[in-house]
Amino acid sequence: MTQTILEIKHLKKSFGANHVLKDISLTVQKGEVISIIGSSGSGKSTFLRSINLLEEPTGGEILFHGQNVLEKGYDLTTYREKLGMVFQSFNLFENLNVLENAIVAQTTVLKRSRSEAEAIAKENLNKVGMTEQYWTAKPKQLSGGQKQRVAIARALSVNPEAMLFDEPTSALDPEMVGEVLKTMKALAETGLTMLIVTHEMEFAKEVSDRVIFMDQGVIAEQGTPQEIFENPKEERTKTFLQRFLK
Ligand SMILES: Nc1ncnc2c1ncn2[C@@H]1O[C@H](COP(=O)(O)OP(=O)(O)OP(=O)(O)O)[C@@H](O)[C@H]1O
Ligand SMILES: [Mg+2]
């Protein structure tokens, strides 16, 4: 049985006169892995940031388990906790070590006990391959790929219902990209619901249930990886893909 987690209806976001998102609708089922592709400036980041309300939408609805989170009185703190976010730039707490990075939100926001939070942090760090020898390291002592895996473990540690990734590998040296994609692929296989903005087309093809192609603030085309990558219907999808899949 499918279960709808998120229902985005006619979402709009403008910055002044710049209409960045123009009527985007998307339904996300539990366990779905959705990749979002598209040119620079097409609105991919703004879309993710609007979903978890890092940006305030200028129109439309976001239903989380059927309830409109934009309605007055909705518990936004809980909603935000339920959507883990991983950024291109890691955004780790530089003054905290690896383990503390994965603990802090659990004890402060979720009010978990120190021992419970520590156990959960360790489990998630192990899951992403950041094993015990790294736990006392500070972010600056880690490679980009390691930092990103800590960021993923940190996000997982608050038990999100869905994870949003905004180009998690595009700031990495090429040799680090694989380890992060492998981690994400393993997560996808656990049934985690994931929305991933990416330029890694091979990865998107491999892990996604659905691929969304965004162009100029709209979903220009969507479908299975096979439909989008092997048989795109829209001219603009074809043009975009030609630049990547030579
Ligand atoms: N905080 C902001 N204030 C004003 N304009 C913004 C803001 N954030 C994004 N924009 C504008 O929104 C448009 C879409 O930007 P967005 O970052 O969502 O694109 P993107 O598809 O993620 O691109 P990229 O692939 O380069 O990351 C751009 O024209 C950008 O200048
Ligand atoms: Mg972006």
Side-chain angles (χ1 to χ4, degrees):
M1 254 237 340
T2 56
Q3 186 196 338
T4 302
I5 291 187
L6 267 175
E7 219 179 328
I8 295 149
K9 294 182 172 175
H10 308 295
L11 189 71
K12 296 183 185 71
K13 175 66 185 176
S14 304
F15 296 102
N18 188 3
H19 303 299
V20 176
L21 302 181
K22 305 164 192 154
D23 202 336
I24 296 199
S25 295
L26 177 72
T27 301
V28 182
Q29 308 292 345
K30 187 174 164 58
E32 246 192 316
V33 176
I34 300 177
S35 290
I36 301 168
I37 62 173
S39 307
S40 180
S42 58
K44 305 178 300 295
S45 294
T46 305
F47 184 39
L48 280 196
R49 294 171 59 82
S50 298
I51 292 176
N52 73 355
L53 305 181
L54 287 173
E55 301 288 356
E56 192 184 344
T58 36
E61 293 181 355
I62 300 174
L63 306 184
F64 182 60
H65 295 290
Q67 281 198 298
N68 188 359
V69 307
L70 298 172
E71 239 157 46
K72 259 205 170 74
Y74 189 89
D75 179 3
L76 290 181
T77 313
T78 307
Y79 172 65
R80 286 202 179 91
E81 275 163 38
K82 294 291 176 193
L83 301 178
M85 181 97 184
V86 174
F87 303 88
Q88 180 177 336
S89 53
F90 325 125
N91 296 13
L92 293 175
F93 303 113
E94 295 294 328
N95 58 326
L96 298 182
N97 71 27
V98 164
L99 185 61
E100 294 303 326
N101 259 282
I103 285 175
V104 64
Q106 298 188 64
T107 52
T108 56
V109 183
L110 299 185
K111 313 285 181 211
R112 282 184 184 146
S113 71
R114 169 81 205 180
S115 59
E116 188 191 3
E118 206 173 298
I120 291 169
K122 288 174 178 174
E123 182 189 323
N124 285 308
L125 287 165
N126 283 332
K127 199 186 277 181
V128 301
M130 292 302 289
T131 45
E132 191 166 0
Q133 76 256 37
Y134 299 107
W135 293 348
T136 57
K138 290 280 175 65
K140 67 170 186 294
Q141 298 168 287
L142 303 176
S143 74
Q146 291 168 337
K147 281 189 222 185
Q148 196 56 299
R149 287 184 286 136
V150 173
I152 293 170
R154 178 180 63 175
L156 288 173
S157 293
V158 287
N159 298 100
E161 286 194 38
M163 289 268 282
L164 314 181
F165 296 85
D166 192 359
E167 298 198 38
T169 61
S170 53
L172 301 178
D173 292 334
E175 64 270 29
M176 308 290 168
V177 170
E179 66 189 45
V180 172
L181 294 182
K182 198 173 131 210
T183 301
M184 291 173 64
K185 185 162 185 255
L187 285 179
E189 283 163 3
T190 67
L192 185 66
T193 309
M194 296 163 74
L195 263 69
I196 310 165
V197 172
T198 185
H199 288 295
E200 296 289 338
M201 298 301 154
E202 278 307 314
F203 168 78
K205 204 184 223 175
E206 233 181 284
V207 307
S208 311
D209 298 304
R210 190 150 43 120
V211 178
I212 305 278
F213 171 63
M214 277 184 71
D215 185 52
Q216 297 184 24
V218 300
I219 295 179
E221 186 167 354
Q222 61 175 304
T224 62
Q226 200 173 2
E227 284 164 344
I228 297 297
F229 292 113
E230 278 153 44
N231 194 18
K233 293 192 172 56
E234 300 288 329
E235 222 32 69
R236 44 189 173 169
T237 317
K238 291 178 194 171
T239 309
F240 171 78
L241 289 174
Q242 269 159 13
R243 300 213 308 266
F244 283 94
L245 307 173
K246 288 201 183 88

